[in-house]
Amino acid sequence: MGLLWSMRPVPGSRIGLRLRKKEVHTPMVVHISVYSGHMSQGFREQVALASVVTERWYMAPGVRRVDITEGGVTGTLFLPPGPGPFPALLDLWGGGGGLVEYRSALLSSHGFVSLALEYMTPRTSGGSTSHVGNEYFEAAFTILKQHPQVCGDRIAILGLSFGTSVALGMAVYSTVIQPRCLVCVSGSHVQPVKGSLSDVFGEIKKNVRNTRYDEENRVIWRDLLLPIPTDPTKKVDVGQLKCPVLMIVGEDDQNWPATESAEDMKQMMEKAGNSHLLTTLSYPGAGHLIELPYSPHIRASNFIVAGTKQKLVVLWGGETAPHGHAQEDSWKKILSFLEEHLY
């Protein structure tokens, strides 16, 4: 699989490209060719010694994709084959916004109903650029809970980056959202207590002076939440968590202080007596975008800031081989964790 996770854009490509699957009902088609000697460019002018085409599917046979637009909620629901009922997940991506479906499609292929939720976009906030309120996530969770093919008491939340902030805040403070377990990838608990998304972003903007840039002028945001506050009103009281949590951390994360946040969460939960609920997977050499297994490592890519629409190149971090290992290892452990606590 190294041929896949080590892929990179061909020389001369536009800066900041990120390979992502948008249409999950069709496979990602990968052409693999072998040439004489070692080449880094000029492939089209050469004759390949051998070639093969492979298809990578995100939706297993029988998985159904359903557009969700009810109750003001926008997303895509993926249902495994069979009558169910099945355990379910609310799938939350990060601050880039938009509707990202490939993780939910693959989760459904492993036997879970999964709702890929769109948020932080004008379409989900009444046409404005303001962020959605907590009621939006509660409405999405309720849609899952009431679905006839879902086990209403077996629902998890999976969050990446800013999605982790939402997952932790909702799990602790919402009276509607009561997840069976949480999976938190490359995220943090640092946010105003019981705050909305707007409150969280307002707090981050106060530290915008801490933005750094590398030698290629790529944005490093990991300091925006540092140092981890000691003020209890500025972070989720994870000592109140009542469900198991799997924290996944890349130790070379240049976008979010995931390592420091995980350590502070551990200390808070030890003090509260619920640290037995926390499992942390920490990967040396891995960056922020810990995605599905065998996906190409993206060290930096284009990013459009929600609200301002400013376009930047953001440094996510990580080195190719250890990051590829982190994606493969963490995915297996995510599935085992979900099977343990949802099945």
Side-chain angles (χ1 to χ4, degrees):
M1 303 305 284
L3 291 173
L4 297 174
W5 57 251
S6 65
M7 285 196 296
R8 64 187 68 183
V10 297
S13 297
R14 287 188 294 112
I15 293 173
L17 293 179
R18 179 179 174 189
L19 183 64
R20 308 180 83 180
K21 191 74 174 80
K22 292 187 177 181
E23 303 293 337
V24 295
H25 57 274
T26 61
M28 181 178 286
V29 179
V30 182
H31 296 257
I32 301 173
S33 301
V34 178
Y35 295 87
S36 177
H38 180 80
M39 299 172 58
S40 59
Q41 54 189 354
F43 297 100
R44 291 175 182 167
E45 290 76 41
Q46 302 296 321
V47 176
L49 300 177
S51 296
V52 68
V53 176
T54 182
E55 294 182 348
R56 305 195 69 204
W57 287 86
Y58 290 83
M59 288 179 64
V63 171
R64 289 185 294 139
R65 179 189 176 279
V66 182
D67 292 320
I68 297 293
T69 55
E70 62 182 91
V73 171
T74 302
T76 307
L77 186 69
F78 290 89
L79 299 160
F86 304 98
L89 291 104
L90 184 60
D91 187 10
L92 304 174
W93 284 80
L99 182 58
V100 185
E101 299 183 353
Y102 51 88
R103 186 168 64 191
S104 276
L106 198 56
L107 285 164
S108 191
S109 299
H110 284 276
F112 304 96
V113 171
S114 187
L115 175 56
L117 188 65
E118 181 174 0
Y119 66 106
M120 292 176 59
T121 60
R123 184 162 64 163
T124 58
S125 50
S128 71
T129 55
S130 62
H131 306 299
V132 298
N134 296 343
E135 298 81 7
Y136 183 79
F137 301 102
E138 294 177 339
F141 192 88
T142 301
I143 288 172
L144 269 180
K145 187 174 182 178
Q146 295 178 349
H147 194 281
Q149 287 183 271
V150 169
C151 300
D153 61 343
R154 295 177 180 269
I155 303 175
I157 306 178
L158 194 164
L160 169 74
S161 188
F162 196 76
T164 286
S165 301
V166 176
L168 290 170
M170 292 292 102
V172 172
Y173 300 119
S174 172
T175 57
V176 175
I177 296 177
Q178 296 179 334
R180 178 64 73 95
C181 62
L182 301 176
V183 177
C184 300
V185 185
S186 302
S188 177
H189 62 314
V190 177
Q191 56 178 290
V193 168
K194 298 184 180 180
S196 66
L197 291 189
S198 296
D199 295 330
V200 177
F201 273 93
E203 200 68 24
I204 290 173
K205 286 177 182 177
K206 293 178 183 178
N207 292 333
V208 74
R209 63 186 181 279
N210 293 340
T211 301
R212 291 188 286 123
Y213 299 86
D214 72 354
E215 64 281 357
E216 297 180 43
N217 207 38
R218 299 178 295 190
V219 178
I220 299 171
W221 273 329
R222 73 177 314 277
D223 297 340
L224 295 189
L225 297 181
L226 292 177
I228 301 295
T230 55
D231 184 347
T233 67
K234 299 203 179 287
K235 51 191 179 182
V236 175
D237 185 4
V238 292
Q240 294 186 42
L241 281 169
K242 296 179 176 64
C243 67
V245 181
L246 179 64
M247 290 289 296
I248 297 169
V249 172
E251 294 180 15
D252 188 41
D253 191 332
Q254 298 299 312
N255 185 250
W256 217 235
T259 299
E260 293 89 342
S261 296
E263 180 59 34
D264 191 65
M265 282 180 58
K266 177 184 176 183
Q267 293 176 12
M268 290 176 69
M269 293 176 74
E270 285 176 346
K271 187 175 180 180
N274 65 341
S275 61
H276 61 284
L277 296 173
L278 178 65
T279 301
T280 302
L281 303 177
S282 189
Y283 295 99
H288 183 72
L289 291 180
I290 300 177
E291 291 219 49
L292 299 180
Y294 319 121
S295 302
H297 166 235
I298 306 298
R299 183 167 172 79
S301 70
N302 293 322
F303 185 87
I304 298 176
V305 179
T308 66
K309 301 301 181 184
Q310 181 184 7
K311 188 175 180 180
L312 307 165
V313 177
V314 172
L315 183 67
W316 307 112
E319 300 297 331
T320 300
H323 191 90
H325 165 74
Q327 293 188 150
E328 180 180 355
D329 185 73
S330 63
W331 178 249
K332 293 175 182 176
K333 290 174 179 173
I334 287 172
L335 292 179
S336 295
F337 180 82
L338 293 175
E339 287 166 7
E340 177 186 354
H341 297 291
L342 296 184
Y343 271 100

